[in-house]
Amino acid sequence: MNKFFDYLEEDLSVKAIRELLGYIRRCAAAFAGDVPVEGRLGRCSFCASNCGEGFVRVHWVQVGRQRICVDAVV
């Protein structure tokens, strides 16, 4: 989880990162298996997959025009 915050804290506030993380978890949890899901929240886009057991793997997050490869399990 720290990796997720470390990569995004230069571009987003901690509150915005927490909101994005919650949205990503809910979105990825809606799909069974490890099928990658792409979504958008405000000016942020993301790709994530459900790993099961309540964990989500975030592959990348795009803030504005900058895509950040995260590859973190949260």
Side-chain angles (χ1 to χ4, degrees):
M1 173 115 47
N2 291 334
K3 184 177 180 181
F4 184 79
F5 279 86
D6 290 344
Y7 280 119
L8 297 177
E9 68 184 351
E10 292 181 21
D11 299 305
L12 299 171
S13 67
V14 172
K15 181 182 177 190
I17 295 171
R18 286 186 180 148
E19 289 174 4
L20 178 62
L21 180 58
Y23 184 76
I24 290 172
R25 282 182 169 164
R26 288 189 303 275
C27 188
F31 294 88
D34 59 354
V35 177
V37 177
E38 291 188 12
R40 182 175 194 88
L41 178 64
R43 65 184 186 112
C44 299
S45 301
F46 63 87
C47 179
S49 55
N50 185 357
C51 295
E53 305 276 333
F55 293 103
V56 172
R57 177 176 294 280
V58 180
H59 304 285
W60 54 262
V61 174
Q62 183 169 334
V63 180
R65 292 181 179 211
Q66 179 182 3
R67 183 171 286 186
I68 304 163
C69 294
V70 178
D71 195 29
V73 176
V74 292

